[in-house]
Amino acid sequence: MRILYFLLLPLVAFADPQTNAEIFGVFTLLPPLVAIVLAFITKDVILSLFIGVFTGSFMLALVDNNIYHAIIGGFTGLISKAVSSMANPSNAGIILQVLTIGGVVALITKTGGTKAVAIWLAKKAKQAKSSQFATWCMGCFVFFDDYANSLIVGPIMRPVTDKFKVSREKLAFIMDATAAPITGLAIISTWIGLEISLIRSGYDLIDPAIFAHLNIKHDEINAFEIFVQTLPYRFYNLFMLVFVLLTIYMGREFGPMLKAERRAREGLFSQGHEKIDNLEDKLLEPKEHIKLKASNAIIPLLILIVFSFIGFYFSGYNAIDDVVLKAQIDANPLGLFALRETFGKADASVVLFQAALLASIVAIMMGVARKIFTLKEAIVTWTHGWRTMIMTVVILLCAWSLSAVIKDLGTSRYLVDLFSDKTPIYLLPTAIFIFASIISFSTGTSYGTMGILMPLTIPLAAAVGVHHELNDMNLHHYIIINISGVLTGAIFGDHCSPISDTTILSSMGSKCDLLAHVSTQMPYALSVCVISILCGYLPVAFGFNVWLSLIFGVLVMATLLFAIGKKVDAC
C-alpha cells in the first residue's frame, strides 16, 4: 500500500524539456513509439497519432499530478496542443491552403479539364511505347494530388493501353510511379502544406545550443526554402520517375512485369481485375452534355502556378528589412540572387492559399460562363473538394500535437544525448530512409510516417553533424539530406505496401488485380530503392556531389535494364 501511496503522490513539477528528458529518460520515446507500434497493428494512422499524443500529454500531466488527475490532464493537454496548433497563424494558413487546393482539384475535375487533357494525350498514342509515354505524361500533369492522379489517369488511359496490348500491371505501375513520387516533389500540391509544416516543427525541436552552429537565427528559418533545397536529394522519387521512362524507351522489362507484358501482347491484359465503380467520385464526374476542353484545367492551374510565383516574390520582398539587400534586389529584380532571396523569405502557406483561392474563383467563373454548372453547383463542388482534404487536416493536427508533446518531453534531447556521439555521420541518412520505408510499408501511409519521424530526425541530424564538427554550411546541407530521407523513404514504403491507398487506387483505376500489381511493382521499387541508397544517400553523406549522384544513378538504372531486362516483343 505504501508503494501505491507514493505512486499516487504528485510528482515535482518540471516544465523544462531538458529536465523532463532527465526525469523520464528512455520513456521520453514512449509517445512516438506508441504511435509507431499502433500504426503497425491497427493500420490507422490517425488513431495511432492520437493515442501517441495522449500518452505524451499524460506523462507531462503526471509530473505534478497523481495518476487519476493525470488521465484528465492528459486529455485536456491533448486538446490544448491541438487548439494551439490550429491557432498558430502559420499552421492556419497551411490548413486553408490544403483545403483550398482540394477545392481547385474538385472544380477542374468537374469541368472535365483533366479528362480533356487525358483524351488529347491518348489521341497522340500510336503504339505501345507512345501509349505508355502518354500515361506517364498524364500522370506528371496531374502533379497536384496523388489520389486525383490514380482516379483520373486509369479510367482515361486504360482503353488506350488496352488497344496497344499493354498489360494492366504496367499501366498500374506507371500510374503508381507518377502519383506520390511526383506529388511529393511538386512545390504546389495537396502535400506541400504537410511537408513544410513538419520541417518547421522539426527545426523548432533543435537544441538552442546546437542551433547556434547553423549560423542563422531561429526566426529566419524558412521551411519552404528548405523544402526546395531537398528536391535534388529526393533520390527515390527522381529515380523512379526516370526508371519508368527508361523501361518505356528501352522496351525492356524483368521479373514478373516481363511475364505480364508478354502475356498482354498475346491479348491477356491482366490476371484479374477489381471494380472501380465504388471508388470513382460521382459528384465530380463531368456532366454528359458538356464539351470537354483542356483549357478548363490548364487555365486555373496556370493561374495557381503563376500567381504562386508572383506571390512568393512579393511576399518575400516585403518581408526583407535589410535596406542594402533590397537595393541589390532592385538593381536586378529578376536575377537568380533576387529570386533566391525573395522566395526564401516568403510565407509559402499564405501565398499558396491566396493563389489557390484566386484559381478557384477563375475555375468557378469559367464553369459558369461555359454553362458547365450553376454558381450554386460550383460552390457545392468546391466545398466537396474541401471535404476530401479533411483527412489531411486531421493528420496535420495530430502530427503538430505529437511534435509539441515530443518537444515538451525532451524526446529529441534524449535522442541527441544518446546517439549524437555514437552514430556514424555517413550512415544516418540511409538509416532514416530505411526506417521510414519500413514504417510506411507496414502502415500504408506516407503522411503518418512523415509526421512520426520528422520531429525526431531533424534535431538528431543537427546533433550528429555538430558532434562531427561540420561547419554551418555543411551542417545545413547534412540536415537537408536527412530530411529528404524521411520524405522519400515514406514514399518508397507506401509505394510497395499492399495496404497503401495509392497502391489500391492504382490497381483499381487500371482494373488490375491488387496482388498482381504489388508483385510486379515490388522488384522495380526495390531495385530503385537500392540504387537510391548506393548511388544517392551513401555517396552524398560522404560529400559526393548530388548532381553527379543523380547522373550516376540514372546510368546504373539503364545498365540494370540492359543487363537483366529483356525486350518485351522478343519472344
Side-chain angles (χ1 to χ4, degrees):
M1 291 296 294
R2 287 185 178 181
I3 295 175
L4 182 62
Y5 173 76
F6 282 112
L7 284 174
L8 297 180
L9 280 176
L11 300 177
V12 181
F14 291 106
D16 178 58
Q18 184 64 48
T19 308
N20 285 337
E22 294 171 1
I23 292 173
F24 291 109
V26 70
F27 291 104
T28 62
L29 299 175
L30 205 53
L33 187 62
V34 165
I36 292 170
V37 172
L38 283 178
F40 283 163
I41 296 171
T42 65
K43 315 301 181 188
D44 189 328
V45 68
I46 292 178
L47 174 66
S48 304
L49 286 169
F50 182 88
I51 295 178
V53 175
F54 176 78
T55 302
S57 58
F58 168 78
M59 292 170 64
L60 289 169
L62 193 62
V63 170
D64 52 5
N65 288 287
N66 62 43
I67 193 168
Y68 301 117
H69 289 105
I71 292 174
I72 299 173
F75 180 75
T76 57
L78 183 152
I79 300 301
S80 175
K81 297 294 183 188
V83 171
S84 298
S85 298
M86 184 174 281
N88 182 290
S90 179
N91 290 350
I94 289 169
I95 291 173
L96 288 172
Q97 164 216 319
V98 167
L99 293 172
T100 311
I101 288 179
V104 175
V105 172
L107 286 168
I108 64 175
T109 303
K110 184 68 175 179
T111 57
T114 48
K115 193 171 186 177
V117 172
I119 292 172
W120 180 82
L121 283 171
K123 290 178 180 178
K124 300 297 179 181
K126 304 298 181 184
Q127 54 182 328
K129 278 189 178 182
S130 58
S131 67
Q132 293 178 62
F133 180 68
T135 305
W136 184 88
C137 290
M138 184 60 193
C140 291
F141 176 77
V142 190
F143 61 86
F144 40 81
D145 183 67
D146 54 333
Y147 287 1
N149 185 307
S150 299
L151 290 174
I152 292 170
V153 176
I156 300 299
M157 299 306 299
R158 187 175 60 245
V160 182
T161 54
D162 282 356
K163 176 183 176 181
F164 296 108
K165 297 183 177 180
V166 175
S167 69
R168 299 279 176 81
E169 288 88 345
K170 186 62 183 292
L171 173 62
F173 169 63
I174 297 173
M175 289 167 56
D176 214 348
T178 55
I182 193 71
T183 307
L185 290 170
I187 63 171
I188 300 172
S189 72
T190 53
W191 281 41
I192 191 170
L194 175 73
E195 293 171 311
I196 289 175
S197 68
L198 292 176
I199 291 171
R200 182 182 293 110
S201 298
Y203 271 87
D204 288 341
L205 296 174
I206 295 178
D207 189 295
I210 295 175
F211 209 101
H213 289 270
L214 287 170
N215 197 27
I216 187 173
K217 295 180 181 178
H218 183 272
D219 57 2
E220 293 178 350
I221 288 294
N222 187 288
F224 178 76
E225 182 182 16
I226 293 168
F227 169 87
V228 173
Q229 290 172 350
T230 67
L231 296 181
Y233 300 95
R234 307 285 192 89
F235 294 111
Y236 181 79
N237 300 42
L238 296 169
F239 286 157
M240 179 53 74
L241 291 169
V242 174
F243 183 81
V244 177
L245 279 180
L246 288 173
T247 62
I248 296 170
Y249 177 74
M250 298 174 70
R252 291 177 176 271
E253 312 285 352
F254 60 85
M257 189 68 80
L258 176 63
K259 295 179 181 178
E261 279 290 87
R262 286 184 170 175
R263 187 192 65 242
R265 296 300 190 269
E266 297 173 0
L268 300 173
F269 298 118
S270 177
Q271 295 174 8
H273 66 84
E274 303 284 349
K275 292 183 178 180
I276 192 172
D277 295 341
N278 62 332
L279 282 174
E280 292 176 338
D281 196 333
K282 299 300 181 184
L283 181 64
L284 299 183
E285 277 289 298
K287 295 178 181 178
E288 294 183 3
H289 72 278
I290 69 169
K291 183 178 180 181
L292 299 177
K293 294 183 178 181
S295 58
N296 288 333
I298 293 172
I299 292 176
L301 286 177
L302 280 177
I303 292 290
L304 177 61
I305 294 169
V306 170
F307 278 89
S308 292
F309 281 100
I310 293 173
F312 288 147
Y313 188 94
F314 286 103
S315 172
Y317 183 83
N318 291 329
I320 296 173
D321 296 324
D322 191 327
V323 177
V324 176
L325 183 58
K326 272 195 173 182
Q328 289 177 297
I329 293 171
D330 292 338
N332 187 12
L334 297 179
L336 289 177
F337 174 80
L339 294 176
R340 185 181 72 245
E341 292 298 323
T342 53
F343 278 46
K345 298 289 185 181
D347 188 338
S349 60
V350 173
V351 170
L352 287 172
F353 168 57
Q354 292 169 337
L357 188 59
L358 182 59
S360 298
I361 294 171
V362 170
I364 290 172
M365 291 173 62
M366 290 178 64
V368 172
R370 293 178 174 181
K371 296 182 171 31
I372 296 173
F373 43 52
T374 63
L375 181 59
K376 184 177 180 180
E377 289 173 332
I379 299 299
V380 169
T381 301
W382 189 59
T383 54
H384 180 77
W386 279 48
R387 288 197 294 273
T388 63
M389 302 307 299
I390 291 299
M391 186 73 73
T392 303
V393 172
V394 174
I395 291 175
L396 271 170
L397 287 174
C398 289
W400 287 331
S401 301
L402 181 62
S403 178
V405 164
I406 286 173
K407 181 178 181 179
D408 289 345
L409 277 175
T411 306
S412 58
R413 298 194 181 191
Y414 173 78
L415 284 176
V416 165
D417 293 339
L418 187 65
F419 292 113
S420 61
D421 59 345
K422 299 181 180 69
T423 306
I425 193 168
Y426 54 87
L427 284 183
L428 185 61
T430 298
I432 287 172
F433 173 78
I434 293 173
F435 193 38
S437 302
I438 293 171
I439 295 175
S440 184
F441 177 81
S442 302
T443 61
T445 171
S446 300
Y447 280 19
T449 303
M450 295 174 190
I452 291 169
L453 281 187
M454 195 67 80
L456 304 177
T457 295
I458 294 177
L460 180 59
V464 170
V466 168
H467 177 77
H468 287 84
E469 300 180 348
L470 296 178
N471 60 40
D472 61 326
M473 185 174 295
N474 288 335
L475 177 59
H476 177 72
H477 174 254
Y478 185 68
I479 296 173
I480 294 293
I481 297 171
N482 283 277
I483 291 172
S484 72
V486 175
L487 298 176
T488 53
I491 288 176
F492 161 64
D494 179 87
H495 203 189
C496 292
S497 177
I499 61 172
S500 162
D501 41 16
T502 49
T503 302
I504 294 169
L505 287 172
S506 296
S507 67
M508 297 289 190
S510 60
K511 287 196 174 179
C512 169
D513 179 73
L514 175 59
L515 293 181
H517 170 44
V518 172
S519 64
T520 51
Q521 178 167 273
M522 184 77 76
Y524 285 0
L526 287 172
S527 298
V528 176
C529 169
V530 172
I531 292 170
S532 298
I533 292 172
L534 297 181
C535 301
Y537 289 110
L538 280 176
V540 296
F542 276 107
F544 197 67
N545 183 274
V546 63
W547 303 108
L548 293 178
S549 294
L550 290 171
I551 294 171
F552 183 55
V554 172
L555 293 175
V556 170
M557 287 189 293
T559 303
L560 176 69
L561 281 172
F562 187 79
I564 68 173
K566 295 181 180 179
K567 289 280 188 180
V568 173
D569 298 321
C571 299

